[in-house]
Amino acid sequence: MLSRLLPVLMLLAGALPAVAIAASDALIDPAVLDSPAFLAGHPDLRFRREGFAAYDRGRHRSAVEAFRKAARYADKPSQGMLAEMYANGDGVPADPALAWAWMALAAERGPAWAEARREAYLARVPASELARADALFAEMLGEYGDEVARPRLATHLRRAARGNTGSRVGGSAPRRVQLVSGDGVREVRDVDFDDPRYWEPERYFALQDAEWARFRGGD
């Protein structure tokens, strides 16, 4: 069974009921997150959502594959979910050393609660596995660490902005869309799919960090 970090990460996945669509504290408008075109330009969010959808259906191996894809784009919630799944043996053999390596990646740029969880995971690694845990983390940095994963995402964001929304980013009026809540209530309002903070890499990274820092993990 996953620890209390799972509900936190599900919130980060955008896996919210439709009735919460107008939540004023959302960092990315849920209507934006539901746009296929937006998700096509944000592989971190797209694969994270696919991972949670697979997990929710009990397809844990598929969830691991999706979270790994999101993790290549510096998605810290997905890296945290992989840590949880390897810690608990959900769809994969339980592996405390690999769980710690994923949590160390998830806490690579904080926040403090994730760093504390990284240390808690380290305490679970048997002494005989500590060297292997260090080696795994060093190897994984070359594929999933921020130094390589953030530039990978930045390239994708720039390409998507040029190809799909580039002529609009920062210069178009918000689009009016119809939203339907879980109780059938309809709402028509402006949604700014082309907000530059969703597409300009440095601004988007700041949004990622703000999202990740808002939540706390369980023990």
Side-chain angles (χ1 to χ4, degrees), residues 7-165:
V8 173
L9 294 173
M10 290 189 75
L11 287 172
L12 291 171
L16 297 172
V19 293
I21 202 164
S24 60
D25 62 344
L27 295 180
I28 299 180
D29 192 316
V32 172
L33 282 172
D34 284 338
S35 164
F38 180 85
L39 291 175
H42 294 76
D44 55 325
L45 299 179
R46 181 173 84 251
F47 291 126
R48 186 203 304 174
R49 286 166 67 95
E50 289 179 7
F52 276 103
Y55 188 90
D56 192 51
R57 294 193 297 268
R59 297 174 55 195
H60 291 170
R61 292 183 66 85
S62 294
V64 167
E65 292 175 7
F67 288 135
R68 280 184 180 273
K69 291 177 182 178
R72 293 188 73 250
Y73 294 96
D75 190 63
K76 296 310 180 189
S78 292
Q79 293 172 0
M81 269 303 296
L82 287 164
E84 294 289 302
M85 296 183 78
Y86 277 102
N88 294 287
D90 289 304
V92 290
D95 188 333
L98 189 52
W100 172 81
W102 278 117
M103 187 54 67
L105 283 167
E108 189 177 5
R109 56 181 185 265
W113 73 262
E115 294 170 349
R117 194 165 187 82
R118 175 193 62 202
E119 298 309 306
Y121 270 60
L122 182 60
R124 302 179 191 178
V125 180
S128 60
E129 288 281 282
L130 287 174
R132 175 172 167 265
D134 282 338
L136 284 169
F137 178 61
E139 178 182 356
M140 291 160 65
L141 277 174
E143 180 71 12
Y144 304 100
D146 279 351
E147 187 173 346
V148 294
R150 279 195 164 193
R152 183 182 293 128
L153 178 58
T155 297
H156 196 97
L157 289 172
R158 293 189 185 102
R159 183 183 302 121
R162 287 195 302 267
N164 297 328
T165 61

